Amino acid sequence: MIRYSLKCADGHAFESWFQSAEAFDTLADRGLLSCAVCGGEDVVKAVMAPRVTKKGGVEAPQPGPADPAEAPAPAIAPPAPMEIAAKMIRTHLEKHSTYVGGQFAKEARAIYLGDAPERMIHGEATAEEARELIDDGVPIAPLPGLPKAKTN
């Protein structure tokens, strides 16, 4: 296992573990990495210091200030107003609607046609399924953020 410090195009810094350096490269090449803060998919490795061990497997002391209170704070960008709004929407949605996962298109159509009880739902749909729902007049809207299962 290897831990990488990562950052997205918006400057959000976070860490994630990978099975190997090759595993990171494979996930990055396939577009399967996303920012843990904003969901952005432009994620790269951040500069980080290697962990050094002395002979015999004992970890060498890391250079830095003697007093931890003097250590600089990590450079993590504060959340943007859009991120705050997206989190508020997600929180409201999770509290007041039913998650239907990949069955979203089927459930939304059933509710629209009166074949299922009317209620607020959220889930995932392919672009084709979303287009078909819109073409059929089913009122849907994309929501900000990613499904929790896709986040790092």
Side-chain angles (χ1 to χ4, degrees), residues 125-147:
T126 65
E128 182 179 333
E129 290 171 329
R131 274 192 290 279
E132 289 173 1
L133 289 170
I134 292 168
D135 289 345
D136 293 343
V138 179
I140 64 166
L143 297 171
L146 297 171

Side-chain angles (χ1 to χ4, degrees), residues 19-88:
Q19 190 167 3
S20 65
E22 294 79 25
F24 170 86
D25 293 336
T26 300
L27 291 170
D29 291 344
R30 293 179 59 201
L32 296 176
L33 298 177
S34 61
C35 176
V37 178
C38 68
E41 295 181 359
D42 188 7
V43 175
V44 296
K45 293 181 212 172
V47 177
M48 54 189 273
R51 180 171 278 207
V52 180
T53 57
K54 290 182 181 179
K55 194 171 187 172
V58 178
E59 188 173 320
Q62 297 294 316
D67 181 2
E70 295 176 15
I76 297 176
M82 184 68 85
E83 294 172 82
I84 295 168
K87 183 173 180 167
M88 289 173 61

